[in-house]
Amino acid sequence: MHSPLRSPRAAVPALLLATLAATVGVTLAAPTQAVAESAASGDRTFFVDPARGSDDAAGSKAQPWRTLAKVGSAALRPGDTVRLRAGRTHIGALDLRASGTRGAPITVTDYGRGRRPAVAGQNPCVRLAGDWVVVSRVAALRCGEAGFVVDGDHDTVTDARATGSVRGVWVREGADHALVSHSRLHDNDLMAPGTTGGDDDHGAQGVDINGDHARVTRNLITGHRAPSPDYGEDGAAVEVYQAVGTRVDHNRAVDNLAFTELGGSRTSGTRYLRNRVSSRLDEGTFLMTRGGAQVWGPVNGTVAERNRVRLTGAHSFGFGCYGGCTPRILTLRDNTISAGWYVGWVDGTFDSANNRYRGELWFDLGPGDRAGGR
């Protein structure tokens, strides 16, 4: 998605969770209730080991399957679990078409010792096409358009890793109630198509939300930026486009070009709560959104509450609301936003209350707002 001009004048396992908690600096609960339910269901478990398995085998721990294609073609049932051998790069793409249920999701996770099992070099690496599917403790590396693609409803990507793609996780249009949690998404720094002209570059995104009622929570998202022939440079930790009811909360974002960018006249009801955002990039940004007079707008009902933002780049700025901003478009409450250049720029008005701002002000303070120097 095109970023506005930078000038404001131009319109699971407890030990792992404890370790990630120390890194991210937020409290991490168990990844999902769905993982616990599937582990307790007592339904079938299949094992995959690319080093010593065979697709003609039974899929037991003693006789594991070999490839991810076998997983994709298997007649998985609600409550089934597929375990990928840790410490291995698995063969092919993981394409999960079967569906679980609310009480008995289909779960893909790891077994054995070593790093997360990896799916690498596919496009995409992992696709959740069925409903009520949980993928946990899997790494997606160098995957073209996306490490993880979510096409089904009520699907979960948790305690995962994604790097080296256009997007770490892509929740596509029609995929409702996705959950992306407790994961490390870093350096997805590819731009597509990356050609001059057409105003169509996109990429360098930790999470790209196009489906409704998605939640992005308790992730560590870092290093999302890439050169763009159309825009010079682009990238965001979380991008929301043509999506309704997105919730982004309790994430830590470090050195992304933007924390979040919103677009699409259908996008509404996006909420950002208790995220910790920091960037040393020269033009680092917290939030960019649009009114009705700006391309890809209006974006209605964006609310950011209790976020802590520290941007130290010389040309960094906190937020922008372009093309006819109104309180219906943007609400900021109880945030702390510090920027190296200016805190924010608003073309119109917005709802601001009880925020603490540090940096140049290009808007009027609201009730309870406080401002400091640079």
Side-chain angles (χ1 to χ4, degrees), residues 1 3 6 144-146 162-169 185-194 200-208 221-228 231-239 254-261 281 288:
M1 188 192 306
S3 299
R6 297 294 169 182
E145 280 285 348
T163 189
S165 304
V166 174
R167 310 163 174 90
V169 182
L185 312 173
H186 70 95
D187 300 297
N188 293 285
D189 53 6
L190 302 184
M191 189 64 55
D200 57 355
D201 278 357
H202 61 276
Q205 299 156 357
V207 186
D208 187 8
I221 310 176
T222 65
H224 292 93
R225 64 185 294 201
S228 163
Y231 315 130
E233 193 173 36
D234 206 358
V238 181
E239 183 153 318
V254 180
D255 289 343
N256 303 285
L257 187 61
F259 174 64
T260 191
E261 183 177 358
L281 302 184
M288 290 184 287

Side-chain angles (χ1 to χ4, degrees), residues 248-326:
V248 181
D249 66 274
H250 295 89
N251 299 283
R252 186 182 177 198
V254 180
D255 289 343
N256 303 285
L257 187 61
F259 174 64
T260 191
E261 183 177 358
L262 303 98
S265 58
R266 186 177 177 275
T267 299
S268 64
T270 310
R271 188 180 182 195
Y272 300 92
L273 177 66
R274 293 185 181 274
N275 299 287
R276 292 176 58 190
V277 179
S278 63
S279 179
R280 297 165 296 178
L281 302 184
D282 183 64
E283 295 184 347
T285 305
F286 170 48
L287 183 153
M288 290 184 287
T289 192
R290 281 113 170 144
Q294 216 272 336
V295 65
W296 298 306
V299 177
N300 289 312
T302 300
V303 178
E305 298 178 300
R306 301 183 183 182
N307 301 283
R308 294 171 58 190
V309 180
R310 188 169 186 267
L311 311 171
T312 57
H315 298 98
S316 61
F317 66 97
F319 60 93
C321 188
Y322 302 82
C325 196
T326 70

Side-chain angles (χ1 to χ4, degrees), residues 33-219:
Q33 182 180 358
V35 172
E37 287 176 340
S38 66
S41 69
D43 282 24
R44 303 177 304 171
T45 299
F46 301 99
F47 296 83
V48 184
D49 186 337
R52 66 181 191 88
S54 168
D55 286 351
D56 295 325
S60 64
K61 190 171 185 180
Q63 296 179 309
W65 293 334
R66 180 170 179 261
T67 70
L68 299 177
K70 179 65 175 180
V71 177
S73 65
L76 298 177
R77 303 192 302 239
D80 284 350
T81 298
V82 176
R83 293 189 174 274
L84 310 181
R85 183 64 185 257
R88 303 276 198 267
T89 297
H90 287 258
I91 300 171
L94 180 57
D95 193 357
L96 298 164
R97 298 177 180 272
S99 292
T101 64
R102 181 184 182 91
I106 292 171
T107 301
V108 177
T109 187
D110 64 342
Y111 77 102
R113 295 182 179 180
R115 57 177 171 77
R116 287 171 178 76
V119 186
Q122 307 298 313
N123 188 17
C125 283
V126 181
R127 178 172 175 251
L128 288 66
D131 303 336
W132 297 105
V133 178
V134 177
V135 174
S136 173
R137 289 191 56 80
V138 173
L141 314 177
R142 303 177 301 280
C143 305
E145 280 285 348
F148 298 87
V149 167
V150 179
D151 280 325
D153 295 342
H154 301 281
D155 289 340
T156 295
V157 176
T158 187
D159 198 2
R161 181 188 172 203
T163 189
S165 304
V166 174
R167 310 163 174 90
V169 182
W170 186 9
V171 180
R172 298 209 290 194
E173 181 180 357
D176 295 341
H177 300 282
L179 174 64
V180 182
S181 75
H182 300 85
S183 296
R184 185 185 176 205
L185 312 173
H186 70 95
D187 300 297
N188 293 285
D189 53 6
L190 302 184
M191 189 64 55
T195 55
T196 302
D199 202 28
D200 57 355
D201 278 357
H202 61 276
Q205 299 156 357
V207 186
D208 187 8
I209 302 293
N210 307 146
D212 292 349
H213 307 294
R215 185 179 183 191
V216 180
T217 183
R218 300 185 186 279
N219 302 285

